[in-house]
């Protein structure tokens, strides 16, 4: 769940999610130019988590085209891979816990879990955020609420208690201060492979 929009208000954030296991409701179809633009944006963002000026432009082009055509209803339940979120990525870098990977799961009842892999002290530690994502019956923005967090050892990492302690020292205060975190998320573009959102 994007980054500060280039040359725009700092309160607007872009979010880019890949949807490898979930197609939006209605079977969205893109014309060839938009499909190619979405593929190019997805390729550029792989393992980046942040938006370059070129990626911001691609984001705006896709969002502008979608606004003209009408953004379809999107099924919110499923598993998502986070490709970019500039604000989150920047904050974690400043805290010396850069983002290495992130996955989001939304269940049918709207409950949400986001698992972040963070690089701390030469090892990967896990941060699990929990909350909910709810959609209004009309075209209103989605409502995201994050109200709890916990640290865990990723399955491929063992004996990282020291790194988890370091991560807690760097991030627990900020995380506690954000509870609960609430945001209205606007879907700006949707295809069978890519979801672009703003809050």
């Amino acid at each position: 769940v994007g980054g500060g929009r280039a040359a725009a208000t700092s309160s607007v954030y872009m979010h880019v999610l890949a949807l490898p296991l979930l197609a939006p409701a209605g079977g969205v179809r893109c014309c060839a130019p938009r499909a190619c633009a979405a593929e190019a944006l997805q390729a550029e963002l792989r393992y980046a988590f942040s938006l370059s000026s070129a990626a911001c432009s691609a984001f705006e082009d896709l969002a502008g085209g979608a606004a003209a055509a009408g953004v379809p209803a999107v099924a919110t339940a499923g598993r998502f891979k986070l490709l970019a979120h500039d604000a989150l990525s920047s904050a974690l870098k400043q805290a010396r816990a850069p983002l290495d990977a992130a996955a989001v799961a939304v269940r049918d009842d709207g409950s949400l879990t986001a698992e972040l892999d963070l690089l701390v002290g030469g090892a990967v530690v896990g941060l699990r955020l929990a909350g909910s994502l709810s959609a209004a019956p009309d075209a209103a923005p989605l409502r995201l609420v994050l109200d709890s967090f916990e640290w865990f050892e990723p399955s491929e990492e063992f004996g990282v208690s020291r790194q988890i302690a370091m991560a807690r020292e760097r991030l627990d205060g900020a995380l506690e201060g954000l509870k609960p975190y609430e945001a209205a998320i606007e879907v700006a573009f949707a295809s069978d492979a890519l979801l672009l959102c703003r809050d």
Side-chain angles (χ1 to χ4, degrees), residues 42-103:
Q42 187 170 353
E44 180 173 344
L45 291 172
R46 187 158 291 136
Y47 307 118
F49 301 113
S50 59
L51 296 171
S52 64
S53 57
C56 284
S57 296
F59 186 114
E60 293 297 350
D61 289 345
L62 287 167
V71 177
V74 177
T76 55
R79 295 184 62 82
F80 302 76
K81 177 182 179 182
L82 180 66
L83 291 182
H85 189 320
D86 263 356
L88 176 64
S89 177
S90 176
L92 290 172
K93 283 181 180 177
Q94 290 181 8
R96 294 176 294 144
L99 187 61
D100 185 57

Side-chain angles (χ1 to χ4, degrees), residues 10-30:
S10 60
S11 61
V12 178
Y13 296 103
M14 298 174 180
H15 312 284
V16 183
L17 291 164
L19 311 179
L21 303 180
L22 175 69
V28 181
R29 293 177 176 84
C30 299

